[in-house]
Each structure stands twice: as structure tokens, then as C-alpha cells.
Amino acid sequence: MTGTLLVTGATSGFGQATARRFAAAGWRVIGTGRRAERLEALQAELGACFWPAVFDMTDEAAMDAALQALPTEFSAIDLLVNNAGLALGTGPAQECDLAEWKTMIATNVTALTAMTHRLLPGLIERRGGIVNLSSIAANWPYPGGNVYGGTKAFVQQFTRGLRADLHGTGVRVTSIEPGLCESEFTLVRTGGDKAAYDTLYGGAHALQPEDIAETIFWVASLPPHVNVNQLELMPVSQSWGPFRVHRDM
């Protein structure tokens, strides 16, 4: 099975690994992102099967222009992977920057829904699929997760709502919910703090972007009558901790 994939946030991490995995299997791949040089490098690596769509996901006019400019051979999209997203800040809610909260909502929620809305008619016509990247943060809150966790809970519930609304259309919809995975994500979240990055991942044997890409490819490669509604995955090294109890002493 092959077709045309559009993956958002293809300049690094999960998105870049997903573009490579699908291209290796013979798919045509559209990768979106703000960093033109990274998309151009990926095009040079993958060749004619890859189309770089350079725009900011939070700019809906730019999104529309990029979709309208797709070459004919890339215009019939069979699979949407909503990967673009970010976390900003690790502090408690009472110390957070409201602008960072708004940026996470604009990217992780508003842009994701806008892209989905634009592609839904074609996905229904072709009985295609949607894979949304949520997170274990949708289910398991942690200190400093605040708005990021809230946005990923939205993605999870939006996925379920799409499944309900698309009943009978043949369109498959999946929420992928990774745990600890080593990528640029943490450097963005900490403002480029390499020491924090090394502390988080050191000795943890974290998931890698290629693991997530392989999972997405597996979901997309299942027989058309099979839908994976929700898939949560963690590295073996990660599990649940005890509830915290604050005591006045």
C-alpha cells in the first residue's frame, strides 16, 4: 500500500523520521515546516518523492497558499499526520508566560484543527486516514505540564470526535501518544538548555523519533478495515510514579 502523505512539522524529530520512513516505502511525501533549509535538505536526500511545503502552521493564509500550490502529483492526499507541535516552559502555572501558553494553543490545537478541516473533504473522498500526535501528557499530568498537557488532551479527544463524526466514511483516525522520546522537543522547551537535555535523557534509553515513525507506518499499513483508535507507548525505562502528598509539618 502506498499513497500520498502530508506530515506537518517535518523539519526535525517525529515528522522528519516519518517522512523518511514513508518515502522509503514508496510513498509520495509532503513535509511542512518553517525552516526552508531543513526541508530543502530533506528533499535533496529523498528526491522527487518529497515536496517541501514551507510555511508557519499558525499562519492560515500561508497554509492555504501552500496547499493550493501543491503539484498535481502531490495534490491527492491519502494520509494526514498532524505532528507539528511544541511545549514551552517547564515551570508551574503560576510562574508561566501567558504568551507561551497562547503559542502552544495556537500550534498544538488551532493549527492542527485548521489543517484537518482543510483536508477532510479529500480524505473522505479517498477513504484515507488521519494520525494525530498526542502525548502521554494527555492522560498523565505532571508538574510543569499545565497547558501543554491540556493541548494534548484536546488532540486525544478531537481524535475520538473525528472517529465518531467520520463513522461510515471509511476514514481511519488514530491518536498516537508517546512518552519519553529523545528529540529537539526538549531543547525547544528549555530554551536550548543542553544540560537539562542531557540530564533528562542520560541513561534512560528513551524512545527515538524512528520508533514513532515506525509506529505511524504500522498503523497506516494495517488492512483498511482495521482502525487503531489510540496507542500509548513509552520506553521500558519509563512507568508511573506514586501520587505526591504534601504535608504541613
Side-chain angles (χ1 to χ4, degrees):
M1 172 185 170
T2 60
T4 299
L5 159 71
L6 188 150
V7 55
T8 64
T11 57
S12 65
F14 301 170
Q16 190 175 87
T18 298
R20 288 191 174 113
R21 181 64 183 90
F22 278 79
W27 283 64
R28 291 177 298 277
V29 178
I30 304 156
T32 83
R34 292 180 292 110
R35 292 172 286 189
E37 70 284 357
R38 291 202 178 189
L39 292 180
E40 289 164 3
L42 197 55
Q43 184 181 42
E45 174 190 336
L46 300 179
C49 72
F50 181 80
W51 180 261
V54 182
F55 64 93
D56 185 330
M57 283 288 294
T58 64
D59 184 340
E60 293 190 27
M63 179 188 296
D64 288 337
L67 292 175
Q68 291 166 8
L70 291 174
T72 302
E73 61 271 26
F74 286 90
S75 61
I77 296 165
D78 302 288
L79 176 64
L80 167 62
V81 174
N82 278 314
N83 163 72
L86 79 167
L88 296 172
T90 58
Q94 62 271 27
E95 298 174 6
C96 286
D97 182 342
L98 179 59
E100 290 188 341
W101 280 6
K102 289 181 177 180
T103 297
M104 285 187 279
I105 293 168
T107 306
N108 300 358
V109 175
T110 307
L112 181 148
T113 55
M115 177 62 80
T116 303
H117 187 266
R118 283 158 173 76
L119 296 191
L120 268 177
L123 292 170
I124 292 170
E125 178 184 344
R126 286 178 286 283
R127 299 174 71 88
I130 301 168
V131 175
N132 291 326
L133 267 295
S134 182
S135 167
I136 62 167
N139 292 316
W140 314 109
Y142 58 88
N146 45 71
V147 166
Y148 173 72
T151 64
K152 291 304 182 178
F154 171 87
V155 172
Q156 181 192 80
Q157 191 64 19
F158 181 57
T159 302
R160 293 170 177 168
L162 286 172
R163 278 280 287 138
D165 289 344
L166 293 170
H167 180 79
T169 66
V171 176
R172 300 191 290 182
V173 192
T174 300
S175 174
I176 302 287
E177 299 164 10
L180 184 68
C181 188
E182 186 173 2
S183 72
E184 287 185 12
F185 174 90
T186 299
L187 286 176
V188 172
R189 185 170 202 171
T190 61
D193 187 338
K194 186 63 165 57
Y197 179 97
D198 292 340
T199 298
L200 178 63
Y201 295 118
H205 304 290
L207 297 172
Q208 299 298 309
E210 291 75 18
D211 298 322
I212 308 306
E214 192 63 41
T215 302
I216 295 169
F217 184 77
W218 172 75
V219 165
S221 301
L222 290 169
H225 69 282
V226 179
N227 192 93
V228 177
N229 297 328
Q230 182 176 347
L231 198 161
E232 180 182 280
L233 60 161
M234 299 179 184
V236 174
S237 63
Q238 185 179 36
S239 61
W240 301 274
F243 284 109
R244 300 187 302 166
V245 178
H246 172 76
R247 303 182 190 280
D248 292 323
M249 303 299 288

